[in-house]
Amino acid sequence: MSIELESTRRALREAISQAERAAELARLLDAAQARLAAAEQSADEVKALAERLTETEERLEAEQAAADKLRKELAEQRFQAEVANWKLSSIKVARWNRLGDAIKSGKSNPVRLAKGLRGAAKPVKRPIAPKRKPVAAAGKPKDERPGAAFQATSTTRTLGGASFKLKPYRVPTGPNTRPHLTAAVVADAHAEALLRYEWRQTTGFTPRDFARVLPLEVPHLLVVASVTQGPWAAEITGEPGEGLKALLAWCHERGIRTVFWHTQGDVAAYAEAAELFEHRFTTDLTVAWPRLQFGVQPRVHNPVPLAGGRIDRVLTLDQLLPGHLTYPDVLTSYRWPAAADCPPGTPQWRLAEIAACGTPIGTEPDSRRAHVALRRAYQMGTMTERIDELLDAIGLPSARATLNTSVMLPILDPYLMEHALAQVAKQSGVDQLIIIGPPESELRARDVLPDVEIIYRRPHPAMTEGAMLDAGIDLCEADLVAVMDPRDVYGPHYLSDLRRAFLFSTADIVGKAAFYAHLRKPQATLLKQPDAEYTYLQEIAGATMLARRNTLRELGFADLTDGWDEVLMRQCRTDGIKVFSADRFGYVRVRDEDRWLLGAAHLVEYGSAEPHALI
């Protein structure tokens, strides 16, 4: 009996304990449900606040648009009132009106009439017509040009305890290569600098506001790089975030191509997010995705020098690129040293960017080696060519302006024909040759240049070289037109080096103000204006001219044999046409003698110029 009683007591105690635990669990469950309800209520409140914020921002934008419209209408009314006042004032000072007033006021007084007529006959300055003034927006307008928000304002470096203040490289603000194409881009400063000139680019949107920002200019594609900082870093690392999923869904609904570009870090960290994109590319050779390597961006990786020039020192990579630099400061550093001593293992893209900025890589400055390295950096591929490949792969048109070239070759002396055609045959990228010379030059040109379109015109006996060129310009069909002199020597990279300048300059005419020359009689090799490389100037040599076809058609050529290029350069200065002087290499002016050149150039040596110029 006692055993049964003890068992009953023990069972009762266990039941009470379990009931207490159940009560505690029920209490915890109630508390959890209360917290969950509170969280749901908070989420609803946050959602409602976000919706109200969006509605408020939309109303604010509508009110700003209405205010801008009213400002424009008010400015137009003021302008029209100014025009009316100007017309009235112009009528009052017009000679016929003043004559009428003089006759009316002096019809009964001959003396007053005579004075009035004399006064009316004197010229009177007419009032200046009003001009429309730009309407200022309510806030400071955002500059949408590429690079506008990417400028370094000042930059300093420290070497051996000494501080150097540099004049920063001015990042160009346009134009872009494909103005018909808009891309929404999430990338770090380096990748963004490579992409910003390839299309109209939208950046700065976040997971919270993309649905409001992107519709302002709906993009054709979305490019997301493997960023490690910023609001999108957490969205693309590990498990994809809700903001990324919402962005991709938004793009999918509108037929916008989506691209993930793996540019840095372990690809495994981005693998899940990358799978959500339609297309994936990588810079890593060990990853089995299509390649989209870094290429030099001509708009920022180019040999245009700093305003203050280079320091006369060779810098190591650590001295050149201390860790605190922003990318605009990096672009300044690339152009600063006499040479850059880069250690083994330096990334290939870094070496290409330094070389593309014209900086010799090594322990000693060497302008010839630097020029060859620059050429090789561009031959490895520009970002424009990389984006062509990307667009072709994802099914978007990669149309853009070309650097197709027509060459005009006027031959006044039949004995120079073979030499002249040999110089053209060396060049790459020649689509068309306009040859104006002796009859036999047409057949010979077709033999020497079988893959080039040949257009021949026979000149009149008294035709000047300028007249030949003026007749030939209307026959040119390529975007660029080169003028070559049959007396001179051109290297095999001459035209390709010159064409490169159109990728980073805003000039309509490119040529050489710095060049080598060879005078046969004294056997002297000269160098003219060595400091005139990579700069905008008022004059370049006519025999080195490569210009936009439409510009030359508008300018025309003077009817001269000697001096047509000087007249053309004067016309460029008058019309405000930009002229850019490229490098000194790839061309030799050849004359028997030239007193002017002897007085204006530096003597290099007595001997051939080609070893110096043709690299």
Side-chain angles (χ1 to χ4, degrees), residues 18 82 124 131 178 218 236 277-278 287-288 317 319 331 341 348 449 456 480 483 587:
Q18 290 177 359
E82 290 175 358
V124 176
K131 294 182 179 180
R178 304 170 186 83
V218 178
I236 64 174
F277 289 76
E278 295 176 297
V287 178
L317 196 60
Q319 292 172 322
L331 297 174
D341 185 10
Q348 190 63 43
L449 299 158
Y456 169 75
L480 301 179
V483 176
Y587 165 75

Side-chain angles (χ1 to χ4, degrees), residues 228-550:
T228 57
Q229 296 179 344
W232 290 100
E235 297 283 332
I236 64 174
T237 307
E239 184 178 350
E242 294 301 321
L244 177 64
K245 293 178 181 177
L247 172 62
L248 294 176
W250 186 90
C251 291
H252 179 71
E253 290 173 0
R254 291 158 180 80
I256 298 169
R257 310 290 205 285
T258 57
V259 174
F260 183 81
W261 187 21
H262 173 235
T263 57
Q264 59 185 326
D266 184 0
V267 71
Y270 307 100
E272 290 187 50
E275 287 298 321
L276 302 179
F277 289 76
E278 295 176 297
H279 304 276
R280 288 161 294 279
F281 297 88
T282 182
T283 60
D284 191 339
L285 297 177
T286 65
V287 178
W289 290 351
R291 301 284 178 269
L292 180 58
Q293 299 292 106
F294 290 143
V296 296
Q297 173 51 261
R299 301 289 284 143
V300 295
H301 304 135
N302 57 62
V304 175
L306 294 180
R310 296 181 180 271
I311 187 174
D312 189 20
R313 291 179 61 176
V314 177
L315 303 183
T316 65
L317 196 60
D318 290 338
Q319 292 172 322
L320 185 68
L321 302 173
H324 64 277
L325 297 183
T326 64
Y327 198 69
D329 289 330
V330 168
L331 297 174
T332 298
S333 287
Y334 283 165
R335 294 165 166 80
W336 187 41
D341 185 10
C342 300
T346 303
Q348 190 63 43
W349 64 264
R350 178 75 77 186
L351 295 174
E353 289 185 1
I354 294 173
C357 291
T359 299
I361 297 176
T363 57
E364 295 182 1
D366 186 330
S367 60
R368 290 168 57 83
R369 192 175 71 242
H371 183 73
V372 173
L374 183 154
R375 182 188 294 153
R376 188 178 299 117
Y378 274 80
Q379 289 173 344
M380 289 171 60
T382 65
M383 208 60 208
T384 298
E385 293 165 333
R386 300 280 193 258
I387 296 303
D388 283 344
E389 298 169 2
L390 167 70
L391 295 175
D392 288 341
I394 68 175
L396 285 177
S398 58
R400 56 183 173 87
T402 71
L403 297 180
N404 296 339
T405 306
S406 295
V407 173
M408 290 200 295
L409 187 65
I411 301 178
L412 296 174
D413 186 347
Y415 293 101
L416 294 173
M417 180 187 68
E418 289 292 340
H419 172 78
L421 292 175
Q423 305 310 304
V424 179
K426 296 178 186 178
Q427 309 305 315
S428 61
V430 176
D431 297 278
Q432 184 186 46
L433 174 63
I434 312 299
I435 186 167
I436 305 175
E440 60 271 21
S441 59
E442 179 182 8
L443 291 177
R444 187 60 185 140
R446 297 187 188 281
D447 290 339
V448 175
L449 299 158
D451 299 325
V452 175
E453 178 188 2
I454 306 296
I455 296 181
Y456 169 75
R457 291 294 184 273
R458 184 172 184 175
H460 300 299
M463 219 173 185
T464 64
E465 184 175 352
M468 290 181 177
L469 295 172
D470 203 51
I473 187 61
D474 289 331
L475 303 174
C476 296
E477 296 179 354
D479 294 334
L480 301 179
V481 175
V483 176
M484 296 178 66
D485 192 314
R487 297 171 291 180
D488 297 336
V489 174
Y490 297 85
H493 301 286
Y494 164 75
L495 271 182
S496 57
D497 283 350
L498 270 190
R499 276 194 297 265
R500 188 183 308 123
F502 283 99
L503 299 177
F504 56 80
S505 75
T506 56
D508 290 311
I509 296 179
V510 170
K512 296 179 185 290
F515 58 84
Y516 288 91
H518 181 72
L519 304 183
R520 290 194 186 95
K521 287 190 177 180
Q523 283 295 302
T525 289
L526 309 170
L527 176 58
K528 186 174 184 295
Q529 297 189 105
D531 296 330
E533 292 182 292
Y534 300 119
T535 185
Y536 293 93
L537 291 177
Q538 296 183 341
E539 189 168 343
I540 49 95
T544 67
M545 185 170 63
L546 179 66
R548 300 191 188 278
R549 179 190 59 192
N550 292 338

Side-chain angles (χ1 to χ4, degrees), residues 58-126:
E58 290 175 353
R59 286 198 300 270
L60 179 59
E61 290 178 358
E63 291 173 0
Q64 288 176 343
D68 289 341
K69 183 179 179 181
L70 289 174
R71 271 193 296 272
K72 291 178 181 178
E73 291 176 353
L74 179 59
E76 181 64 21
Q77 290 174 1
R78 286 175 176 169
F79 174 70
Q80 294 300 337
E82 290 175 358
V83 169
N85 289 332
W86 168 71
K87 289 180 178 179
L88 180 59
S89 300
S90 299
I91 291 173
K92 287 181 178 179
V93 300
R95 181 172 297 177
W96 60 266
N97 188 67
R98 288 183 287 121
L99 286 172
D101 289 344
I103 293 171
K104 183 178 179 180
S105 62
K107 61 183 179 180
S108 59
N109 188 330
V111 175
R112 183 183 298 173
L113 176 62
K115 289 182 179 180
L117 292 175
R118 282 198 300 272
K122 294 180 181 179
V124 176
K125 186 177 180 181
R126 296 176 64 86

Side-chain angles (χ1 to χ4, degrees), residues 187-264:
D188 60 17
H190 178 213
E192 190 180 324
L194 298 180
L195 296 173
R196 65 172 59 245
Y197 300 97
E198 297 304 323
W199 41 43
R200 294 174 58 83
Q201 186 155 292
T202 301
T203 58
F205 53 93
T206 69
R208 285 190 57 202
D209 65 6
F210 73 85
R212 178 173 54 85
V213 174
L214 296 185
L216 300 178
E217 185 175 3
V218 178
H220 298 90
L221 75 159
L222 168 72
V223 179
V224 177
S226 49
V227 294
T228 57
Q229 296 179 344
W232 290 100
E235 297 283 332
I236 64 174
T237 307
E239 184 178 350
E242 294 301 321
L244 177 64
K245 293 178 181 177
L247 172 62
L248 294 176
W250 186 90
C251 291
H252 179 71
E253 290 173 0
R254 291 158 180 80
I256 298 169
R257 310 290 205 285
T258 57
V259 174
F260 183 81
W261 187 21
H262 173 235
T263 57
Q264 59 185 326

